[in-house]
Amino acid sequence: MPNWINTRDDAQLVTDAQALFTKSFGSAPAGVWAAPGRVNLIGEHVDYAGGLSIPFALEQNTAVAVAPRTDGVLRMVSELEDNSAVTEIPLDKVGPGSPADWSGYVAGSVWAGLQVGVIPTCTGLDIAIVSDVPIGSGLSSSAALECSVALAAFELATGRSPADEERRRLVQACMRAENEVVGASTGGLDQNASFFGKRGYALVLDFRSGELTRVPFDLASRGMVLLIADTNAPHTLSDGQYASRRGVIDAVQHALTPGGTGTIRDIPDAAAAAAQWARDNGEDAELTSRRVRHVVEETARTQEVAHLLEEGDIDGVRERMRDSHISLRDLYQVTTPELDSAFHAAGELGARMTGGGFGGAVIALIDRDVVDDTAAAIASAAAKHGFPEPTFLIARPGEGARRLR
Ligand code: GLA
């Protein structure tokens, strides 16, 4: 029997976050805030290259129960830490590279929000964290944590919810937390999806223009679902692999765009130009052009999917998803044997890895009738190869970051 992931509703998240807060800090929180994980339908490894992505916010959330303090200290506790120990860090000790463990996502978001100026003031917080977003699965558990904390700090400081422009600046702050404090050079896809997601909609994010469009995403009326298979082969985005992929793209963008500030999308015939640049500079020309080709083709595919979704051409979407996985496997080389096995077992058409890769999850856009068979096929392929047992959930577009209580 495939192993399905359990998800709490908002009321249960509130109850659990409040209970953890009271148990850990001995009083009641001022409020409870939540931010979702995300799944990326297509547009992978292009956000830092001026490309397009089409993610949606999941119904799986991280919730934080929070109360203000006056002594400049952040105290935090997470249900995900075995012993529920409280971690403490003074705000003036937070900065680039510090703290370096999971608490960097929490403390970093508050610190970066203050740096960016979107959080006007903070004199310390007590924070209790509960989460249904699978960790290290390519579903943005880190963004869910950053965004829930940043939103809570913003609302406690201002007494109101953020306007769209403030949400954009909170996204910037959470990206800085991840880039500077945690040291993962990620590109903004996750934080945008978590802050701007809306129930029933996918987002078309254009990272060159900064434009964000919502498109209705209703698979149920077509008798279809988006299945997520978490391979449970954990990944991390701060171990150098992600940075090495990004490093190639950054170097090409820096060398081949005016002022070094443009993106791959601004470079005519980018793969050939990048190969020439690599040859001239003693870099691996074949590898460089392969990486750039992925970005160029994935961006084109994602533009096509945006149109296909509007036209309701799901077969066309499923083809692009398969091609995206093949490109991430062969050109960008961020898949793993576990991801490739799940992709193959899911039937390839309509399937692809999602997120940063090097582990994590595969998605499959399939008929509702074949969900159980598909999950069973993925699980049995994993067992045959001796891989960890995958876990499954059905992805539906949920609400973006918000106050729950
Ligand atoms: C991770 C990063 C994102 C994005 C994806 C790959 O999720 O956080 O910024 O680069 O990988 O598309």
Side-chain angles (χ1 to χ4, degrees):
M1 278 300 282
N3 198 348
W4 294 89
I5 294 172
N6 290 326
T7 300
R8 290 167 279 194
D9 62 13
D10 284 0
Q12 193 61 49
L13 280 177
V14 168
T15 304
D16 293 351
Q18 283 174 331
L20 180 62
F21 188 100
T22 304
K23 183 177 122 208
S24 309
F25 303 121
S27 56
V32 180
W33 289 263
R38 63 100 191 91
V39 63
N40 193 22
L41 197 60
I42 196 160
E44 215 67 87
H45 280 283
V46 298
D47 58 346
Y48 46 81
L52 270 88
S53 301
I54 310 185
F56 61 79
L58 290 170
E59 288 173 329
Q60 284 68 30
N61 287 273
T62 294
V64 291
V66 186
R69 300 174 59 83
T70 53
D71 59 358
V73 172
L74 298 173
R75 294 196 302 175
M76 60 199 90
V77 61
S78 165
E79 70 173 0
L80 301 169
E81 296 298 294
D82 278 348
N83 50 5
S84 292
V86 174
T87 299
E88 268 193 49
I89 176 153
L91 255 173
D92 61 10
K93 292 276 184 310
V94 183
S98 163
D101 61 359
W102 70 271
S103 63
Y105 294 106
V106 179
S109 317
V110 179
W111 172 80
L114 292 165
Q115 295 282 314
V116 167
V118 59
I119 298 174
T121 175
C122 179
T123 54
L125 299 169
D126 283 338
I127 306 168
I129 303 155
V130 300
S131 183
D132 284 339
V133 185
I135 295 197
S137 305
L139 303 174
S140 290
S141 55
S142 32
L145 182 53
E146 293 150 15
C147 297
S148 57
V149 170
L151 180 66
F154 174 92
E155 293 203 9
L156 284 171
T158 60
R160 60 182 175 79
S161 60
D164 272 3
E165 181 48 34
E166 288 162 328
R167 281 185 181 253
R168 265 188 281 279
R169 294 174 70 206
L170 286 165
V171 165
Q172 295 302 324
C174 292
M175 286 172 67
R176 264 187 81 172
E178 190 148 331
N179 294 166
E180 293 177 31
V181 179
V182 181
S185 56
T186 52
L189 158 66
D190 313 341
Q191 295 80 4
N192 272 292
S194 189
F195 262 113
F196 286 101
K198 198 169 163 53
R199 184 170 299 286
Y201 290 85
L203 304 173
V204 180
L205 301 174
D206 183 329
F207 292 95
R208 183 166 66 171
S209 67
E211 204 184 337
L212 181 155
T213 323
R214 292 194 173 100
V215 288
F217 191 75
D218 169 25
L219 293 177
S221 66
R222 299 167 174 277
M224 300 190 82
V225 294
L226 189 71
L227 173 70
I228 299 184
D230 182 354
T231 64
N232 288 315
H235 81 161
T236 157
L237 297 180
S238 49
D239 69 354
Q241 290 273 28
Y242 182 97
S244 88
R245 296 304 182 282
R246 181 166 181 167
V248 172
I249 301 301
D250 281 349
V252 170
Q253 294 184 144
H254 185 71
L256 297 182
T257 62
T261 55
T263 69
I264 295 289
R265 235 164 129 196
D266 305 315
I267 307 171
D269 204 356
Q276 188 57 51
W277 167 82
R279 245 174 258 120
D280 295 345
N281 289 275
E283 303 282 342
D284 184 334
E286 197 276 324
L287 190 82
T288 308
S289 84
R290 231 196 280 174
R291 302 286 191 254
V292 172
R293 232 184 93 199
H294 165 76
V295 170
V296 171
E297 294 175 3
E298 181 77 353
T299 299
R301 268 191 292 274
T302 307
Q303 264 164 332
E304 287 165 12
V305 167
H307 295 303
L308 292 166
L309 281 177
E310 269 170 31
E311 290 162 9
D313 180 352
I314 297 295
D315 287 342
V317 173
R318 296 178 77 228
E319 281 170 25
R320 295 336 178 262
M321 290 173 73
R322 174 199 57 204
D323 295 348
S324 168
H325 184 94
I326 291 170
S327 178
L328 289 157
R329 184 188 67 196
D330 299 345
L331 298 181
Y332 219 62
Q333 297 179 298
V334 296
T335 67
T336 59
E338 292 88 347
L339 290 167
D340 292 335
S341 160
F343 166 68
H344 186 68
E348 303 199 352
L349 197 61
R352 60 180 292 275
M353 57 151 271
T354 191
F358 308 108
V362 161
I363 53 177
L365 207 179
I366 49 181
D367 284 339
R368 192 170 37 216
D369 303 346
V370 302
V371 167
D372 288 333
D373 288 351
T374 305
I378 293 171
S380 98
K384 198 178 94 207
H385 288 109
F387 297 151
E389 189 186 353
T391 42
F392 299 92
L393 61 91
I394 301 292
R396 291 183 204 88
E399 208 49 43
R402 65 215 180 269
R403 184 171 192 159
L404 294 183
R405 168 108 3 136

